[in-house]
């Protein structure tokens, strides 16, 4: 169902139905609700689904009673409040153009740093909903344009301070794509034009994209930002600046992991630093075990992390886990206490897993999948015990029994 674009706000009756069913299962509610003259059932269901979906993802929007939510796909593709706030600090100035506005969460945060900001979106319904929401959010410095990104880019006169672009990462039948050239619009094709129209371009790409591939396709990249939230990699940002040329080996790569309490784990390095760094290797696991956060793993800062924390010893060149004798309080990632460990000999494993019925199992550089190893060990998922099946620096395969810190 499409919204009546002339009557986007919910009626008082619709708001009441939403409030009464805010925690309901939307699928079940769809079978129970009966349409009436003043209640658009599908609009109510979409609103409840939107609030439930965005409650943790963008709480500032949910706090606003009159925000209207778009279709589920737009909710799933939207940025979170955490990542939008991060991007809002990357650039400020006279003018912002978001060429692929989508649900508008990025735009709503970034636009506050500019005197004028223009939101461009080709989906008519999404554009109308966003225009309504920007008024609810009190954004009086914005313009909304319903149109094609490339067509609007051609119309920009002079230069704007910043262009934000998040190309669609799905093909014609809805399958996700990760290559830059498979996205719409194709950033490789319009690269030069973007930089002729803006002092800075921020491109948001799939976290699955290979960084080296991106750099081989895109010129004028001056910074890379890899954003994770709660340990899950969410966004890869390429920052390009007009007239700025940074050699790839000197390119700053910023890794950021935003924690639940709003604090951040941050590490910045360059490819040259990673190339020149080295890791020390442990013969056996020590008292503490460390797993770098998702942004660091995505960036491939495997040797840099060893150099930054001199107390660290890596388990194996291809086992991206680290160990130490003393606890490293500010390590950017998960930390564990190593309770015990064993070889794969049946007798050793039996002692290691005595009275263990369930555990959180991971494999790192290990010749067996989690599923197969779980069957072999006959343990269920869950609990407060963490098992890591790994390869050590001498090639030995072992299992570490750990407690999360």
């Amino acid at each position: 169902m499409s919204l009546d674009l002339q009557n986007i706000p919910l009626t008082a009756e619709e708001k009441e139905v939403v409030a009464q069913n805010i925690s309901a299962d939307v699928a079940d509610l769809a079978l129970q609700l009966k349409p009436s003259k003043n209640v658009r059932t599908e609009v109510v269901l979409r609103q409840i689904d939107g609030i439930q979906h965005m409650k943790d993802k963008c709480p500032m929007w949910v706090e606003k009673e009159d925000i209207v939510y778009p279709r589920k796909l737009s909710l799933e593709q939207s940025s979170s409040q955490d990542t939008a706030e991060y991007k809002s600090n990357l650039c400020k100035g006279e003018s912002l153009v978001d060429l692929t506005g989508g649900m508008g969460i990025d735009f709503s945060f970034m636009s506050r740093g500019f005197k004028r900001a223009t939101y461009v979106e080709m989906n008519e319904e999404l554009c109308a909903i966003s225009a309504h929401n920007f008024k609810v959010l009190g954004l009086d410095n914005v313009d909304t344009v319903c149109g094609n990104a490339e067509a609007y880019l051609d119309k920009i006169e002079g230069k704007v301070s910043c262009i934000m672009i998040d190309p669609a990462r799905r093909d014609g039948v809805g399958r996700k794509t990760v290559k830059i050239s498979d996205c719409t619009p194709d950033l490789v094709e319009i690269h030069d034009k973007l930089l002729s129209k803006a002092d800075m371009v921020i491109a948001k790409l799939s976290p699955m994209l290979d960084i080296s591939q991106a750099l081989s396709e895109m010129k004028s990249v001056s910074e890379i930002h890899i954003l994770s939230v709660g340990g899950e990699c969410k966004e890869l940002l390429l920052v390009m600046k007009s007239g700025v040329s940074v050699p790839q080996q000197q390119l700053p790569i910023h890794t950021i992991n935003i924690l639940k309490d709003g604090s951040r784990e941050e590490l910045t390095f360059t490819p040259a630093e990673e190339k020149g760094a080295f890791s020390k290797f442990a013969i056996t696991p020590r008292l503490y075990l460390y797993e770098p956060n998702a942004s660091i793993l995505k960036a491939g800062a495997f040797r840099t992390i060893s150099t930054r924390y001199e107390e660290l010893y890596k388990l194996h060149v291809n086992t991206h886990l680290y160990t130490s004798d003393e606890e490293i309080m500010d390590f950017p990632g998960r930390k564990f206490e190593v309770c015990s460990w064993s070889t794969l000999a049946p007798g050793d494993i039996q002692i290691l897993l005595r009275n263990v019925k369930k555990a959180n199992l991971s494999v790192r550089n290990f010749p067996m999948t989690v599923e197969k190893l779980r069957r072999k060990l006959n343990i269920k998922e869950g609990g407060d015990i963490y098992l890591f099946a790994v390869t050590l620096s001498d090639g030995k395969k072992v299992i570490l029994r750990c407690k999360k810190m």
Side-chain angles (χ1 to χ4, degrees), residues 195 199 219-223 239-247:
L195 286 172
D199 296 324
K219 298 173 291 184
S220 303
V221 176
S222 57
E223 302 172 18
V239 176
M240 294 163 279
K241 296 179 181 178
S242 180
V244 176
S245 178
V246 179

Side-chain angles (χ1 to χ4, degrees), residues 317-337:
V317 66
N318 294 321
T319 303
H320 303 312
L321 294 172
Y322 303 78
T323 189
S324 72
D325 289 314
E326 301 291 334
E327 181 183 356
I328 301 173
M329 301 296 294
D330 62 343
F331 183 84
R334 296 200 300 171
K335 298 184 294 184
F336 302 86
E337 180 182 346

Side-chain angles (χ1 to χ4, degrees), residues 328-367:
I328 301 173
M329 301 296 294
D330 62 343
F331 183 84
R334 296 200 300 171
K335 298 184 294 184
F336 302 86
E337 180 182 346
V338 179
C339 302
S340 56
W341 62 277
S342 81
T343 68
L344 299 184
D348 291 345
I349 291 178
Q350 188 175 11
I351 294 172
L352 181 76
L353 300 182
R354 182 175 293 155
N355 299 322
V356 175
K357 302 299 182 183
K358 60 181 180 178
N360 303 279
L361 178 62
S362 300
V363 298
R364 298 288 187 272
N365 188 27
F366 193 82

Side-chain angles (χ1 to χ4, degrees), residues 365-378:
N365 188 27
F366 193 82
M368 196 179 296
T369 64
V370 168
E371 292 76 16
K372 188 173 181 180
L373 183 57
R374 186 177 296 284
R375 290 195 298 269
K376 179 180 177 68
L377 299 178
N378 192 28

Side-chain angles (χ1 to χ4, degrees), residues 79-270:
S79 290
S80 67
Q81 180 171 323
D82 287 328
T83 59
E85 286 178 332
Y86 180 85
K87 287 191 284 289
S88 72
N89 291 311
L90 292 181
C91 184
K92 300 180 187 297
E94 289 290 324
S95 50
L96 166 71
V97 174
D98 188 338
L99 288 174
T100 49
M103 186 174 166
I105 290 180
D106 278 335
F107 181 81
S108 70
F109 283 89
M110 294 180 70
S111 62
R112 299 177 190 275
F114 296 85
K115 290 184 179 179
R116 294 302 305 174
T118 303
Y119 161 102
V120 182
E121 171 56 51
M122 65 186 304
N123 182 290
E124 184 180 0
E125 179 179 288
L126 201 51
C127 194
I129 291 173
S130 295
H132 164 82
N133 288 340
F134 297 152
K135 290 179 182 178
V136 174
L137 293 166
L139 301 176
D140 55 8
N141 64 327
V142 308
D143 300 301
T144 56
V145 175
C146 188
N148 176 272
E150 293 169 87
Y152 187 84
L153 182 62
D154 287 334
K155 294 178 182 177
I156 296 177
E157 297 182 359
K159 271 195 173 185
V160 297
S161 304
C162 181
I163 287 177
M164 174 71 190
I165 186 164
D166 177 11
R169 300 193 288 267
R170 291 179 185 268
D171 63 17
V173 292
R175 293 174 301 194
K176 290 185 178 181
T177 61
V178 293
K179 290 183 179 179
I180 292 178
S181 56
D182 289 338
C183 296
T184 306
D186 181 348
L187 292 184
V188 178
E189 187 176 312
I190 65 172
H191 171 276
D192 292 344
K193 187 179 292 185
L194 286 168
L195 286 172
S196 72
K197 301 283 188 174
D199 296 324
M200 175 186 285
V201 176
I202 301 174
K204 184 171 82 171
L205 302 171
S206 166
M208 300 298 292
L209 184 73
D210 180 79
I211 294 175
S212 60
Q213 176 193 333
L215 293 178
S216 69
E217 292 185 275
M218 301 294 289
K219 298 173 291 184
S220 303
V221 176
S222 57
E223 302 172 18
I224 294 177
H225 298 254
I226 304 171
L227 303 185
S228 293
V229 178
E232 182 180 353
C233 197
K234 294 291 188 180
E235 297 178 6
L236 172 62
L237 305 177
L238 300 186
V239 176
M240 294 163 279
K241 296 179 181 178
S242 180
V244 176
S245 178
V246 179
Q248 283 195 16
Q249 287 299 305
Q250 301 303 323
L251 193 69
I253 302 176
H254 304 273
T255 68
I256 300 93
N257 181 38
I258 304 170
L259 303 175
K260 288 184 178 180
D261 62 3
S263 62
R264 297 175 182 172
E265 297 172 339
E266 301 188 37
L267 183 144
T268 298
F269 71 103
T270 66

